[in-house]
Each structure stands twice: as C-alpha cells, then as structure tokens.
Amino acid sequence: MTESVGVAIIGAGQAGLATSWFLKQAGVEHVILEAGRVAETWRTRRWDSFCLVTPNWTVKLPGAAYRGPEPDGFMGRSELVDHFQAWADLFDAPVRAGCRVSALDLDGDDFVLTVPDAALRARKVVIASGGYQRAYMPPNAELLPGHLTQLLAEEYSNPAALPPGAVLIVGSGQTGCQLAEELHEAGRRVILSCGRCPWAPRRMGGHDLVWWIVESGFWNRTPAQLPSLAARLLGNPQTTGHHGGRDLNYRTLHAAGVELVGRYLGANDRKVHFADDLALSIQAGDDLARTFMRWVATLCEKRGLAVPWEVPPSAGFAGRTEADLEKEGITTVIWTAGYRPDYDWVHLPVFDEMKFPIQVDGRSAVPGLYFMGVHFQRKAQSAVLYGVGEDAELVARHIIEGRT
Ligand SMILES: Cc1cc2nc3c(=O)[nH]c(=O)nc-3n(C[C@H](O)[C@H](O)[C@H](O)COP(=O)(O)OP(=O)(O)OC[C@H]3O[C@@H](n4cnc5c(N)ncnc54)[C@H](O)[C@@H]3O)c2cc1C
C-alpha cells in the first residue's frame, strides 16, 4: 500500500527543520524525509577543522537561536551538528532518516515521492534539499592526468589524509582560501587557482564583518537588485572563522607564501595551464569589495559613523600560466569552484534556465509545491543560518493557511 501524508519536507538541514518547526507549532502533521541524518551536510560534507564563517550570534534558527557563551565565536563542526541534533530532538522533528527521495512526480492533485522500496503520496511538498548541491567542475577538469589524487572540497578531511606533495586548489572562495591556509600551515606547498570573489576585512570599526552585512541591509538584497541572475552564483566574501576569526584573502595568502595563479584552463600529461587573468580576478574582487563598502558608507552616513575601511590600491600580483606537475611534485588537486543546483529528480517544470527553482516567497507555480533554502530565494540571506527562519515562517504560514 502507498502511504499518504499531508505534508512532506525533503531534507533535514536548517531549511527543512526550520519549516518543520513552524508547522509543528501550528499542529500541522508532516514528515521530513532525509537521505542521511539530521544536519547530514554539516556532518559529512565539511572538513575536520571546519568552523563557521559567520559568528555564532548569526545562528537565528527558530527555536534554536545560539545562546551559548561565545556569541562572537565560530562554532566548529561537531558543536554545530550537536546544536542541530538538540534542536530536532527538542521539538521532536518527525525526521525519517536514511530516506532519500529519488523522484518527485505529480499524479492528479497529489505528489508522488519515490523513496527506498516504496512510494509516498503527499498533498504538499517542501523541497529543502540544500542550497549548495552539486560541486561545479570547470571546463577541462577531466584533462588532469589520472595519477593525481583529485577530490572535491566536500571530500577533503585534513592535510594528513592527502598523499605527500604539493597541492593545487582550484577555486578561491571562502572554502578554497581556508583549505589553502590549512594546507600551507601544515607545511604543504600550495598553488591556489583564483577566480573572482568578493572580500572584506574580518573586523571593521570595532565590529565583525557580518555585523556590517546585517546592519547595512546587504543581506536583504533581493534577486531583483542583482546585476544579473547569474550573480546568484557569486561567492560570499573571503574571510575565515578560524583562529577566532581573522582576515583571509588573496593578499594575506600571498603574504603567507601561498602561490596565486589565474583560472584553471586545462592540462596535459605533464603540465597544468592557467589563464593570465590573476590581476583581473583580484581587481574584480576589489571592485566587489567597493560595492559592499558603498552599502557600509550609506549606513555610516545614516548613523553618523566614520566609514571604517577603504579598499587598498591594486595588489599588482601576476601569476604564471603553467606548472609542471612532476617537477613541482604536485600530487593532489582539490576542486572547490562553487556549486550548482541539482533538482534533476524533480520531474516538474518549475526551474529557470540556470536550473534554479522559479518561486515567489518559496511557492512554485505548481500548487502545493514549495522550496526552501534556495540561494536568493527571497533575499541574499535566504540560504544562511541567519536568514532561513524568515523564509521558513512564510512557507509554513502559507501551508498552515491552506492556500495554494
Ligand atoms: C562550505 C560551506 C560553509 C558554509 N558556512 C556557512 C556559515 O558559516 N554560516 C552560514 O550561515 N552558512 C554557511 N553556509 C551556507 C549554508 O548555511 C549551508 O549550506 C547549509 O547547509 C544550508 O542548509 P540547507 O538546509 O538549505 O541545506 P543542507 O544543510 O544541505 O540540508 C539539505 C538536506 O537535504 C538532504 N537531501 C538532499 N537531497 C535529498 C533527497 N533527494 N531526499 C532526501 N533528502 C535529501 C541532505 O542529506 C541534507 O541533509 C556554508 C555553506 C558551505 C557550502
């Protein structure tokens, strides 16, 4: 027999659990279908020394805001997983662990969800399967010789788990920079293949960077305020929560001795090639930093504060355009060039040309089908711990009020 449920949420990360929390408060019966365990992404797709990049005070999950002793600290992986598990236990979240949904179809007014060994019918479905789903591989990634150890950032655990030798990291967002720093500090030679990424200092004018992001309204930007829909894919500013939170960007990595090169272009048996665009990428990052600082300046003007920082003049770095794999002892390549949506298992026409869900406040054009945790779902803050609760409340309210 096929089981029927009123509401099925797919995914027990922050987006699914936050929606569940609001439904639970209103007494709406539902299930959460989770491929792994609660907070599976934080458990198994983050490296051993992972810690948050946003301070603990940004954990504003409904019913589970951070109340610990270090609001300005940066929780490590296990503390964060414990926080999620305690939250789910506290409100008795109806999670079915180990239950991957491999297909979602519509049959009349009902959704049909294919789950291990069964099918489940639901009147309403919330897809909360993650904002960072499929690792993006740049063109020609497949050209790297097979003898190299290659892994995605989400497969990396620690320096000792890699074979001895130099490491090429392709991708210079927050993750690429953090892995470059960790491997460099562990004594590895690191080459970082850089793209265009914003950056800003960790602390400005006595406040953390994220304080400025929140107070200036930068996280309230909507997709309509972006220069293009492709800008949804832009990374968050380079910085780190490690060592209590400090600057981490092209300039700090260069000063520490990490070699910066341009974008990955391809490889042959002996050599790996990079574009001659390092200076342009750094310039683009500086320009993005200036855009952010205009938001900060507007805030400062309103509050009568001094603008706390100015983007420094051009870094003037030039990177070489090839490296000899064997001569330089490069044994490992870590890919961390961003993510793309992955909803191939959702057999409904609700996606745009970039494969992002088409939705308004989480509601798709198919009655009863909702999304949560999408990048820029409503705002820049939609897919982070700080902002997910606001979106979840709207989605849950729509479900509770029974509208479609
Ligand atoms: C490296 C990295 C660092 C980050 N650091 C921060 C930070 O410091 N601060 C911050 O606020 N945000 C951070 N984020 C952003 C964001 O908070 C996380 O990506 C967060 O995990 C998103 O939560 P989510 O619930 O949308 O997705 P996820 O946490 O990915 O949860 C989705 C869940 O759905 C399950 N699932 C997926 N597909 C299916 C399926 N078909 N059937 C059943 N279950 C399924 C998965 O197993 C998973 O448990 C970071 C992101 C990354 C990638």
Side-chain angles (χ1 to χ4, degrees), residues 21-267:
W21 188 86
F22 284 110
L23 293 180
K24 199 80 195 243
Q25 306 308 303
V28 176
E29 274 203 32
H30 62 282
V31 292
I32 308 177
L33 309 171
E34 166 54 54
R37 296 156 289 173
V38 163
E40 187 63 36
T41 302
W42 298 108
R43 288 176 199 268
T44 52
R45 293 176 70 183
R46 305 280 182 262
W47 57 99
D48 294 353
S49 70
F50 175 86
C51 69
L52 286 179
V53 178
T54 57
N56 294 336
W57 59 262
T58 66
V59 178
K60 293 217 178 282
L61 300 168
Y66 180 83
R67 304 230 184 281
E70 289 186 57
D72 297 322
F74 302 87
M75 268 190 262
R77 183 178 67 176
S78 62
E79 194 184 345
L80 189 62
V81 168
D82 289 350
H83 189 87
F84 268 88
Q85 191 62 59
W87 178 33
D89 293 345
L90 190 73
F91 77 91
D92 201 14
V95 179
R96 289 192 197 171
C99 187
R100 175 175 293 283
V101 179
S102 55
L104 176 67
D105 295 273
L106 196 57
D107 180 22
D109 287 342
D110 279 357
F111 295 96
V112 180
L113 298 91
T114 307
V115 291
D117 305 322
L120 198 111
R121 295 181 82 85
R123 300 309 303 267
K124 293 181 178 174
V125 169
V126 181
I127 299 177
S129 55
Y132 298 81
Q133 297 169 329
R134 181 188 290 160
Y136 172 72
M137 297 297 278
N140 299 328
E142 72 287 356
L143 295 183
L144 276 177
H147 64 81
L148 292 177
T149 297
Q150 292 188 48
L151 61 163
L152 303 175
E154 62 203 50
E155 296 167 330
Y156 168 80
S157 47
N158 59 60
L162 301 183
V167 182
L168 167 64
I169 298 176
V170 180
S172 56
Q174 287 181 347
T175 298
C177 290
Q178 285 174 61
L179 300 194
E181 181 178 59
E182 172 162 298
L183 285 160
H184 176 75
E185 285 177 352
R188 297 299 184 110
R189 213 182 123 230
V190 179
I191 301 175
L192 181 65
S193 169
C194 303
R196 298 170 182 211
C197 192
W199 70 287
R202 179 79 259 183
R203 290 188 71 77
M204 293 188 281
H207 294 288
D208 187 84
L209 167 62
V210 182
W211 183 89
W212 291 101
I213 290 176
V214 170
E215 294 295 315
S216 68
F218 198 66
W219 261 353
N220 278 330
R221 284 170 306 142
T222 63
Q225 287 172 282
L226 291 174
S228 70
L229 284 180
R232 289 177 294 185
L233 296 174
L234 205 65
N236 292 311
Q238 293 166 334
T239 186
T240 183
H242 286 280
H243 309 284
R246 68 180 187 192
D247 289 359
L248 179 65
N249 53 62
Y250 292 140
R251 287 164 172 85
T252 63
L253 286 168
H254 174 77
V258 170
E259 182 180 359
L260 308 181
V261 294
R263 257 186 291 199
Y264 171 87
L265 286 183

Side-chain angles (χ1 to χ4, degrees), residues 236-321:
N236 292 311
Q238 293 166 334
T239 186
T240 183
H242 286 280
H243 309 284
R246 68 180 187 192
D247 289 359
L248 179 65
N249 53 62
Y250 292 140
R251 287 164 172 85
T252 63
L253 286 168
H254 174 77
V258 170
E259 182 180 359
L260 308 181
V261 294
R263 257 186 291 199
Y264 171 87
L265 286 183
N268 57 33
D269 272 355
R270 275 189 39 226
K271 288 189 173 165
V272 54
H273 302 282
F274 309 106
D276 185 16
D277 65 357
L278 178 64
L280 283 178
S281 289
I282 295 178
Q283 183 60 50
D286 290 355
D287 290 344
L288 289 164
R290 281 188 193 93
T291 302
F292 169 60
M293 287 310 292
R294 283 198 281 279
W295 286 73
V296 170
T298 305
L299 173 72
C300 289
E301 201 180 315
K302 270 193 218 145
R303 299 202 184 164
L305 301 171
V307 176
W309 177 72
E310 213 175 283
V311 181
S314 165
F317 306 141
R320 59 184 168 141
T321 54

